[in-house]
Amino acid sequence: MRRTRAFLPTMKEDPSEAEVISHRLMLRAGMIRKVAAGIYNLLPLGLKVLRRVETIIREEMNRAGAQEVLMPLVIPAEMWKESGRWDLYGKELLRFKDRHDREFCLGPTHEEVITDMVRREVRSYRQLPLNLYQIQIKFRDEIRPRFGLMRGREFIMKDAYSFHATERDAEREYENMYNTYTRIFERCGLRFTAVEAETGAIGGRFSHEFMVLAETGEDVIVSCGTCGYSANLERAECRPPEGGAGEKEKAMEKVHTPGVKSVEEVSRFLGVSPERLIKTMIYETDKGPVVALVRGDLEINEAKLKRLLHCEWIALADEEKVRGVTGAPPGFAGPVGLEVRIVADHSVSTIVNGVTGANEEDYHYINVNPGRDFAVDTWGDIRFALEGDPCPRCDGRLSLSRGIEVGHIFKLGTKYSEAMRATFLDEKGVERPMVMGCYGIGVGRTVAAAIEQNHDEKGIIWPLPLAPYHVYILPVNVKDASMREVSERIYRGLTDSGVEVLYDDRDERAGVKFNDADLIGIPWRVTVGSRVKEGKVEIKARDRNEAEIVDIEEAVGRLVQRVRGGT
Ligand code: 9G3
């Protein structure tokens, strides 16, 4: 592609609205342009990268035995009412009526549509298993779309759904998709990890998230270097502490602590370390109020608490609710004397002579001992893991890192097939609900994550498999006939060899061209400068500092070999 013909509006200045590097660089490199909040145009350079990711996904999904379909963006309300999700989601589900006043929504995901498609055609176990996927636009009306393609309202997802006669076969397909996702992200040239994850609202018991490792990622990954255990922070298990403090229990006492509320204030006022505090949080749930306890230096993990309580929803109680349960304002809550269900994290079990709120304004108890001074209804792991915690699976230590979720695979079970009567006759002629799985990849988000992981102060550094072009030809001065002639020759030689070239034939200062080449991140650059007189050109990789001077005749061969070799 000749730069003078290319619709490739690069920008020198940093766009103010961009808060993360990938958003900033995708705007500056002329890859995307905003149409509305969370809604973007993909310009030629951006679309080329997106298509690279889609091609890799398609090839690997097809190799894995999945079949591509295309479902509509516009979904009739009826099937979301059948699954019970029409009333479960709020404004995030964009709903509208057609000219006949019939209700529809823009598809945020397609479990209902695919289950409806399959239930109409599949009656026998002989027709299973099936794995159907699409690469399609989704719409989720996020309150605050941010970070460009990373968290858009309209985005492109590969979503796959599998249907099985048995749980066992669904497990097999889950493994198959796990391995397929591993191949997809390896082929994208990304550093990633798969972590155990929560299943959230869509139900099912088990899921894995595929995270592109990046310091600017929003998701926290907990991993053990010894045994390879890894989970997202919401899910990461904590090993219960060994043995108690061993000191003698003392008599509980109420002490006056005027206006002393937070863990820091209480531990400072009473001269005790946070490890000795029993932090008491009041929650509301669909099963009524719950008191959750955790050691003072730790934090409650609401996803774990929700799972332990098997409740539909959970929310921190507001001041009024706290007063209702404890009789005191927030900051003085404690488990002693409460008639509400008490759930405690294992970290509380080793506290001896602890400190907690006295359920009375401006008062705390000291020398509180679990078991003697209050009973716990349910013990469990309801805290967030910390850097350095003992690994729950081996004698190693946990470390925390950050990543960007680009893929998520779920065991769905029969949640949708039961709700929508997607059944089949098994070999004994018994009617059973199909067992399902679902598997998503954020295509645009994968592009953005690749930039978050691969950039420097000058711009993007594309992993070769995702690069929009493989080689950037940079004549230092297009007015110089020999530079122009050599550039054209190399351009033709590479193009004839199937190498994709961006040829900067602009009549621009060399500095402008070098900056652009670094900004848009093409993996290889050929500089055609004053050395053409000696029959030489300079070849340089975007991710390395040193360049090499080669004979013009060798340039094409070297580059074809590098691009095909994938280095
Ligand atoms: C909604 C809205 C937002 C949503 C959902 C439904 C996320 C919703 C979870 C999934 C699960 C999997 C198939 C591909 C992989 C992910 N956000 N999810 O169900 F109505 Cl507004 O989408 N679906």
Side-chain angles (χ1 to χ4, degrees):
M1 182 73 197
R2 295 174 187 280
R3 193 61 206 270
T4 49
R5 317 290 332 122
F7 180 51
L8 210 182
T10 52
M11 295 155 64
K12 259 193 277 313
E13 64 290 341
D14 260 0
S16 56
E17 82 268 19
E19 295 165 84
V20 295
I21 186 71
S22 57
H23 187 194
R24 211 166 24 251
L25 291 176
M26 290 177 89
L27 288 167
R28 285 193 52 211
M31 292 175 65
I32 60 172
R33 283 293 181 270
K34 179 174 160 183
V35 174
I39 298 174
Y40 290 88
N41 283 325
L42 272 166
L43 275 50
L45 202 72
L47 184 61
K48 276 177 80 71
V49 180
L50 196 102
R51 292 288 186 245
R52 297 272 196 240
V53 176
E54 287 182 2
T55 300
I56 291 171
I57 289 174
R58 240 183 213 102
E59 286 173 357
E60 292 304 328
M61 287 300 289
N62 295 344
R63 184 177 307 167
Q67 299 171 70
E68 187 169 6
V69 296
L70 185 60
M71 290 178 264
L73 170 66
V74 174
I75 301 178
E78 288 75 9
M79 52 182 76
W80 273 66
K81 288 179 179 171
E82 260 194 279
S83 70
R85 291 212 290 180
W86 186 256
D87 299 322
L88 195 60
Y89 285 87
K91 288 185 176 302
E92 199 188 355
L93 183 65
L94 185 63
R95 309 155 203 259
F96 59 94
K97 288 186 174 174
D98 70 2
R99 60 189 303 165
H100 306 294
D101 234 14
R102 285 187 291 243
E103 291 177 297
F104 291 85
C105 69
L106 289 187
T109 181
H110 284 70
E111 280 81 2
E112 287 80 358
V113 181
I114 197 82
T115 304
D116 175 59
M117 182 201 292
V118 168
R119 72 176 169 183
R120 293 169 186 277
E121 315 302 337
V122 172
R123 297 301 311 143
S124 156
Y125 71 100
R126 287 191 192 82
Q127 296 169 277
L128 297 174
L130 269 182
N131 184 331
L132 305 173
Y133 76 95
Q134 65 172 350
I135 300 180
Q136 231 260 41
I137 284 185
K138 295 273 183 285
F139 194 90
R140 293 176 185 178
D141 204 354
E142 303 259 359
I143 286 186
R144 226 183 135 218
R146 306 166 68 191
F147 309 154
L149 296 195
M150 195 89 87
R151 182 180 295 283
R153 286 195 290 170
E154 181 183 283
F155 56 97
I156 294 178
M157 183 197 278
K158 184 285 294 176
D159 45 325
Y161 305 85
S162 65
F163 298 83
H164 309 271
T166 64
E167 177 67 36
R168 176 87 201 82
D169 192 57
E171 304 253 345
R172 177 198 51 69
E173 189 62 9
Y174 188 89
E175 275 299 307
N176 181 27
M177 287 290 103
Y178 186 100
N179 298 330
T180 301
Y181 274 46
T182 303
R183 276 198 304 278
I184 287 169
F185 295 117
E186 278 169 353
R187 283 189 58 190
C188 288
L190 299 173
R191 291 181 303 288
F192 68 94
T193 181
V195 302
E196 288 179 26
E198 284 304 320
T199 54
I202 67 152
R205 287 173 316 291
F206 205 61
S207 82
H208 278 86
E209 283 167 348
F210 285 73
M211 304 276 200
V212 166
L213 302 172
E215 275 322 299
T216 55
E218 281 187 309
D219 299 284
V220 179
I221 300 160
V222 177
S223 47
C224 168
T226 309
C227 70
Y229 169 72
S230 68
N232 72 13
L233 187 61
E234 257 195 346
R235 173 129 190 145
E237 296 161 26
C238 300
R239 177 195 286 267
E242 259 85 51
E247 68 187 80
K248 215 168 104 33
E249 289 189 358
K250 297 176 201 157
M252 188 172 84
E253 263 182 74
K254 188 153 83 167
V255 295
H256 189 215
T257 53
V260 178
K261 301 179 185 179
S262 73
V263 168
E264 290 68 31
E265 289 164 351
V266 172
S267 48
R268 202 172 33 250
F269 184 84
L270 295 175
V272 296
S273 74
E275 281 85 353
R276 203 178 268 279
L277 267 61
I278 299 172
K279 190 191 286 184
T280 304
M281 314 292 283
I282 316 293
Y283 283 92
E284 291 185 84
T285 78
D286 52 294
K287 294 182 172 174
V290 167
V291 170
L293 309 178
V294 72
R295 206 176 64 197
D297 60 312
L298 302 169
E299 299 298 334
I300 293 278
N301 176 332
E302 290 186 5
K304 286 185 180 178
L305 180 58
K306 182 168 172 288
R307 194 152 28 96
L308 183 70
L309 295 171
H310 298 297
C311 53
E312 281 296 306
W313 58 267
I314 179 172
L316 211 48
D318 60 16
E319 165 148 0
E320 188 196 341
K321 270 285 168 195
V322 171
R323 283 180 183 282
V325 169
T326 67
F332 300 98
V336 179
L338 284 192
E339 296 305 309
V340 180
R341 182 178 182 192
I342 295 180
V343 179
D345 181 70
H346 293 305
S347 57
V348 171
S349 64
T350 56
I351 292 178
V352 179
N353 298 326
V355 172
T356 187
N359 294 323
E360 189 181 333
E361 185 157 12
D362 294 343
Y363 282 89
H364 280 77
Y365 283 126
I366 60 171
N367 300 332
V368 179
N369 288 282
R372 185 191 73 182
D373 305 321
F374 64 91
V376 169
D377 300 295
T378 312
W379 288 96
D381 168 10
I382 56 171
R383 74 173 177 88
F384 278 114
L386 289 177
E387 177 79 31
D389 272 358
C391 171
R393 300 283 166 82
C394 79
D395 57 4
R397 289 278 162 190
L398 294 179
S399 55
L400 271 53
S401 56
R402 287 193 165 274
I404 300 162
E405 178 195 340
V406 290
H408 200 158
I409 61 177
F410 296 79
K411 280 193 200 119
L412 266 184
T414 56
K415 173 185 164 104
Y416 292 92
S417 48
E418 277 174 14
M420 299 177 69
R421 291 182 315 289
T423 59
F424 68 99
L425 294 178
D426 70 11
E427 58 276 18
K428 297 191 185 66
V430 175
E431 186 169 24
R432 296 180 186 290
M434 300 177 202
V435 185
M436 292 173 62
C438 66
Y439 322 92
I441 292 178
V443 184
R445 178 177 277 201
T446 299
V447 172
I451 296 173
E452 291 288 333
Q453 185 182 80
N454 301 284
H455 68 271
D456 61 15
E457 68 290 341
K458 292 180 285 191
I460 302 167
I461 303 176
W462 287 115
L464 190 64
L466 299 188
Y469 294 97
H470 305 123
V471 176
Y472 193 102
I473 296 179
L474 198 161
V476 167
N477 172 7
V478 289
K479 288 198 180 63
D480 176 301
S482 59
M483 287 184 197
R484 207 170 46 249
E485 192 279 325
V486 167
S487 301
E488 294 283 344
R489 199 174 348 137
I490 293 174
Y491 179 42
R492 254 193 323 281
L494 288 172
T495 308
D496 294 349
S497 311
V499 172
E500 296 190 48
V501 179
L502 184 57
Y503 169 25
D504 194 341
D505 60 345
R506 290 176 297 173
D507 181 5
E508 277 279 359
R509 283 183 300 101
V512 168
K513 295 187 180 185
F514 281 113
N515 290 339
D516 256 16
D518 288 336
L519 171 62
I520 62 180
I522 308 302
W524 291 98
R525 186 188 75 201
V526 181
T527 303
V528 181
S530 53
R531 290 179 190 276
V532 285
K533 285 192 287 300
E534 308 148 36
K536 309 267 187 199
V537 291
E538 179 204 82
I539 291 181
K540 183 186 173 302
R542 173 67 180 86
D543 63 351
R544 285 197 285 277
N545 285 329
E546 74 285 345
E548 47 184 321
I549 308 299
V550 300
D551 289 342
I552 293 170
E553 291 64 40
E554 286 171 32
V556 170
R558 288 279 188 96
L559 285 163
V560 169
Q561 171 212 355
R562 296 279 165 72
V563 168
R564 286 200 185 133
T567 56

